[in-house]
Amino acid sequence: MLGFDITNDIFAENAWYFRNALVRANYNDLKNGVHATTEFLELFLGNLLLDEQNELHNRSMHISGVFQGYKKPDIGMEKPDIGMEKPDIEIKFTKKTMSHIRRLFDCFGKEKIFGRSDAKNVLGLKDSTVSELLKKLLEADVIEPISGYGKGRYRFKG
């Protein structure tokens, strides 16, 4: 339609190169000085549309040279002694998570025992999301597991 005589041969012979050229045209790693470039895609299209004879080598697209100055730190073989105490870490919740916590607390308070399905019904979230929330609350020492009522039962700490 546009006057170009094109076959699929170049795609068949250089499929991997074409795929990688598309990736490089969209890949950025600004922290390491890697910027997206259409250079390799242009070489491919030059061969396809303009009958140019550019050499198409995947190795020319490698960005590994950017990381040559990087050396993995030597952490040794000895395991560090981290002790048995949990460190006192301040856990910050997002506004959305705080909203969920308040809704649960308003519903159950410090006295009522609840589980994942109870929290799911109150919040209207998926099982996996509620499980993650409960895990965060346990890690932050906001709720405590309660035994004697079945597995996965909790109460807000006083």
Side-chain angles (χ1 to χ4, degrees):
M1 181 171 107
L2 298 176
F4 294 105
D5 186 25
I6 298 174
T7 65
N8 286 335
D9 295 344
I10 190 171
F11 290 98
E13 294 167 7
N14 298 286
W16 193 242
Y17 180 92
F18 181 66
R19 178 253 183 223
N20 289 340
L22 289 171
V23 170
R24 283 303 309 278
N26 293 286
Y27 179 76
N28 286 298
D29 185 352
L30 301 179
K31 179 180 66 148
N32 290 305
V34 177
H35 302 278
T37 178
T38 58
E39 169 188 359
F40 306 105
L41 201 50
E42 290 168 18
L43 293 174
F44 180 86
L45 294 174
N47 287 2
L48 175 69
L49 301 173
L50 305 173
D51 290 324
E52 293 177 0
Q53 298 301 312
N54 299 308
E55 291 193 26
L56 306 177
H57 299 291
N58 280 304
R59 66 179 168 271
S60 61
M61 288 187 256
H62 289 193
I63 60 171
S64 59
V66 174
F67 306 107
Q68 283 177 350
Y70 176 76
K71 185 178 178 184
K72 287 176 76 176
D74 180 14
I75 60 171
M77 295 300 291
E78 188 176 323
K79 288 186 178 181
D81 180 14
I82 59 172
M84 294 304 288
E85 271 186 45
K86 286 186 177 179
D88 186 21
I89 300 173
E90 180 182 342
I91 297 179
K92 295 184 180 184
F93 295 116
T94 63
K95 288 181 182 179
K96 189 175 184 179
T97 302
M98 285 302 297
S99 169
H100 293 326
I101 295 170
R102 279 191 210 99
R103 286 176 57 202
L104 288 175
F105 187 80
D106 289 345
C107 186
F108 301 112
K110 294 180 186 177
E111 302 300 318
K112 290 184 183 173
I113 296 169
F114 62 94
R116 185 180 72 182
S117 59
D118 301 317
K120 179 182 172 186
N121 291 337
V122 170
L123 300 174
L125 301 172
K126 294 179 183 176
D127 287 339
S128 58
T129 306
V130 172
S131 294
E132 278 298 312
L133 175 63
L134 293 175
K135 181 180 172 186
K136 286 180 187 177
L137 295 178
L138 279 169
E139 289 172 356
D141 213 26
V142 174
I143 61 174
E144 60 187 348
I146 302 297
S147 59
Y149 292 89
K151 184 180 176 187
R153 308 301 281 169
Y154 309 97
R155 177 172 51 207
F156 280 95
K157 284 192 154 190

